[in-house]
Amino acid sequence: MKSAAPSMKPQLKPLGLDACTALDRAFADFLQAQAPSIDSRHHWLAALTSYQMGRGHTCLDLQALQDQAAALLGWTAAQSQTLPPDLCSAVASLPWCVGEGAPLVLTGSAPSQRLYLRRTYQAEQEVMHALRARWAQPRLETTGSVAHLNALFPPDEPQADPQQPHPIDWQKVACALAARSSLTLITGGPGTGKTTAVVRLLALLTAQARLQHQPLRIRLAAPTGKAASRLGEAIQSAIARLPQDLRIEPPAAPETLHRLLQFTPDAPLREVPELACDLVVVDEASMIDLEMMARLLAAVPLTARLILLGDKDQLASVEAGAVMAQLCDGAALGGYTHVTADWIHAHTDQDVRAFVTPSGPSAALAQHTVMLRHSRRFAHDSGIGQWAQAVNAGDVSTMKTLLAQCPHASSVQDALFPPDVDLLSVQRLPHPAVAHAVRQGWSRWLEMLRPLRQPQAVCSDDQARQLIDRFADFQVLCALRSGPWGVENLNLCISRWLGWGTEPWYSGRPVMVTRNDANLKLMNGDVGLCLPTANGLRVAFVQAGHIRWVLPSRLDAVETVWAMTVHKSQGSEFAHVLLVLPDSASPVLTRELIYTGITRAKMRLSLLLASQSVLLQATATRVLRSGGLSQLTQEN
């Protein structure tokens, strides 16, 4: 009897494969149908490459897959044990990465190899080539920069001890380097003055343009509408603090990256339009994914300056790529050459020799990167600052000390001057103590809203603006979206705690836009309030400093936002944050998420914990996204 022909579709053990999405499995099935392989490991490699992209990685790191599969994939030990033996060795015979247009791309040499989807590989290559082209550009004109820099950054008060080294003014360094280069990366935590440095750069470049009798064409952008709005407000405030003779007119209002780059669903099929500009500033750059970064770099002409602002330690983009984190890896060490350090000293009188690479060649990208280090929002003895530093450093020991010293909310809820960090420990939700904390957090806003919940009430534009401002005084942030400790359940609980029913629209309902809407000129992340008008309920949004009213029935992509995920909070800040962590570990609970949640609070942080061990475990867990951009930090 003739033996049965082997099946052309590999049989995979379900435990590990089920961790992949249906899309990942369908992608591998498609490749198998187009070019069949009898090696089941090929099917696994294709599915895992797609799976990793869905988790934010730009590639499948084969060495990490071989050495620490569970950590790389976010799987349990049992799931990782179902991976075929010698999986990585099968990449040598992988048929789907052969040829110029192959759907998969293999780079590197064993064991340090990476497997990409072609689209992601092309985007990463475009970013790398564009960045190299930018730092290879000749220095830009800096006529009169020394005098202008000294006027914009006047010297501080003399030090009491002249023997002590004077602290470096990193804002001045950032401003000087950005003035001479077509690319500058400025990273730093909350309150370190990223926006202040940029406004002084705008004043410096405007002054130089006047000397040359040329206009300075400026474009400002951020990944979300909320971040763009906050950038505009910060710039307006910083302009008022400029020296009178260097004061500038406010530039055009910041816009979202989607709007700046004319990004629509069919954008990848169209050529990227080149921007007519001399300077492009993009805030919250840590939120920019790989493909959007490639589009941005293609749109900004090499003759223009591109400034990327962001906190390298915050959460990376939801889509594939951790661009800012990888490009700013090592920024804390400086990595400057002696030539760069001498130029900085000559133009700014700042001594950065301690941040020169001690031996060997320095990376070219480091000469275009500045890390701001002094937080003006969080003093060295600030509770929020101490928590943020401990989390960012992964210092579990210090975290245990801070937890032991942290006062409980029950003892400070009604205090006249509450501490800036307090702890709320509950084992389940809903809970009366959490309800009380929420009512206290929004107490001023609720009092202001009360008259507008009465029949026949009509809200004016001024009232709407004040209510939107007051609503941002407090915010509930969750690590998860689903489950008893997630956004969906918290939104239901808070609605009941504040006395609202189950009707879909009511006066006071806060909503967040979840999808860009070009017709309504609303962007993903915009927050509005449903309020009564003479024409019935309308949703008020702040746009360019003015109130815009939208009919609720026209908003088909919004959700209630009493609580939001930490991911959604990026680009925002609130006076008081209630950060909610679940009662058990989750793959999304990482150091970056906790740090981002903590640093959304400007004045007060309340931690809602069911288990302190969950917070400690998250502090010890870093996001390590696979990708090739980090090699740029090594190139000379």
Side-chain angles (χ1 to χ4, degrees), residues 476-487:
V476 179
L477 301 182
C478 300
L480 305 179
R481 180 166 186 83
S482 304
W485 303 91
V487 164

Side-chain angles (χ1 to χ4, degrees), residues 232-572:
E233 293 170 358
I235 286 176
Q236 291 271 12
S237 175
I239 285 175
R241 298 192 297 272
L242 288 173
Q244 189 64 42
D245 57 339
L246 288 172
R247 188 137 323 158
I248 60 174
E249 292 295 322
E255 51 198 325
T256 64
L257 272 178
H258 282 77
R259 186 172 296 163
L260 175 74
L261 303 177
Q262 302 175 30
F263 191 88
T264 57
D266 67 337
L269 305 177
R270 293 185 284 105
E271 187 176 350
V272 181
E274 185 172 271
L275 299 171
C277 60
D278 303 302
L279 172 66
V280 176
V281 178
V282 183
D283 197 12
E284 298 293 345
S286 63
M287 300 169 64
I288 305 176
D289 63 77
L290 184 65
E291 292 192 10
M292 186 65 82
M293 183 64 77
R295 190 172 180 84
L296 171 65
L297 290 167
V300 180
L302 287 175
T303 54
R305 294 173 174 87
L306 173 61
I307 315 296
L308 299 178
L309 308 173
D311 186 345
K312 66 181 180 64
D313 298 315
Q314 277 190 200
L315 282 166
S317 62
V318 176
E319 304 298 330
V323 180
M324 194 70 175
Q326 290 186 18
L327 296 181
C328 293
D329 185 30
L333 299 176
Y336 300 122
T337 64
H338 287 287
V339 172
T340 299
D342 290 343
W343 186 93
I344 290 172
H345 188 266
H347 286 75
T348 69
D349 200 32
Q350 302 299 304
D351 186 354
V352 299
R353 286 175 298 178
F355 296 89
V356 169
T357 301
S359 61
S362 298
L365 184 58
Q367 316 315 305
H368 302 264
T369 305
V370 181
M371 179 174 173
L372 306 183
R373 301 154 196 269
H374 175 63
S375 176
R376 290 160 177 80
R377 181 187 302 175
F378 304 130
H380 71 279
D381 57 348
S382 154
I384 297 176
Q386 290 177 359
W387 280 80
Q389 290 172 16
V391 169
N392 202 17
D395 190 343
V396 175
S397 176
T398 298
M399 288 292 291
K400 290 180 179 178
T401 301
L402 291 172
L403 279 168
Q405 297 172 348
C406 190
H408 284 260
S410 58
S411 64
V412 302
Q413 278 178 348
D414 299 311
L416 185 60
F417 300 105
D420 52 354
V421 182
D422 59 77
L423 184 63
L424 190 58
S425 298
V426 300
Q427 300 303 311
R428 58 180 175 78
L429 288 176
H431 194 282
V434 184
H436 179 71
V438 167
R439 294 190 196 100
Q440 285 292 104
W442 273 307
S443 59
R444 293 177 60 197
W445 178 76
L446 289 169
E447 187 64 30
M448 186 182 297
L449 180 68
R450 193 183 313 279
L452 296 174
R453 297 185 65 186
Q454 304 302 316
Q456 312 305 317
V458 174
C459 183
S460 67
D461 284 10
D462 286 344
Q463 286 177 301
R465 178 59 189 260
Q466 292 176 33
L467 282 165
I468 292 172
D469 289 344
R470 288 283 72 76
F471 183 75
D473 283 347
F474 178 72
Q475 185 61 56
V476 179
L477 301 182
C478 300
L480 305 179
R481 180 166 186 83
S482 304
W485 303 91
V487 164
E488 294 169 352
N489 184 52
L490 262 295
N491 274 325
L492 293 174
C493 290
I494 294 171
S495 183
R496 290 195 297 268
W497 293 338
L498 299 184
W500 275 277
T502 57
E503 63 272 18
W505 290 101
Y506 49 83
S507 179
R509 181 192 176 191
V511 295
M512 174 182 281
V513 177
T514 58
R515 186 175 65 239
N516 294 340
D517 190 324
N519 293 326
L520 294 177
K521 298 181 179 179
L522 294 174
M523 295 294 144
N524 184 7
D526 286 351
V527 173
L529 282 178
C530 183
L531 296 165
T533 71
N535 298 314
L537 290 176
R538 295 290 187 272
V539 182
F541 293 92
V542 177
Q543 291 185 338
H546 303 287
I547 291 295
R548 181 158 176 265
W549 298 94
V550 179
L551 194 67
S553 60
R554 299 191 66 191
L555 297 170
D556 59 353
V558 295
E559 60 184 22
T560 303
V561 71
W562 298 116
M564 69 174 73
T565 61
V566 174
H567 277 88
K568 284 288 189 181
S569 74
Q570 287 181 269
S572 301

Side-chain angles (χ1 to χ4, degrees), residues 168-253:
I168 297 171
D169 189 339
W170 287 106
Q171 288 187 23
K172 190 174 185 180
V173 172
C175 193
L177 288 178
R180 76 169 190 170
S181 173
S182 65
L183 169 71
T184 309
L185 310 178
I186 302 176
T187 185
T192 52
K194 297 185 290 292
T195 306
T196 300
V198 163
V199 168
R200 294 180 183 180
L201 173 65
L202 297 183
L204 172 66
L205 297 180
T206 299
Q208 292 180 1
R210 287 172 183 158
L211 290 175
Q212 299 167 6
H213 306 288
Q214 294 178 349
L216 182 67
R217 299 169 298 173
I218 302 169
R219 303 293 292 272
L220 307 173
T224 67
K226 182 68 175 178
S229 176
R230 195 165 71 83
L231 174 62
E233 293 170 358
I235 286 176
Q236 291 271 12
S237 175
I239 285 175
R241 298 192 297 272
L242 288 173
Q244 189 64 42
D245 57 339
L246 288 172
R247 188 137 323 158
I248 60 174
E249 292 295 322

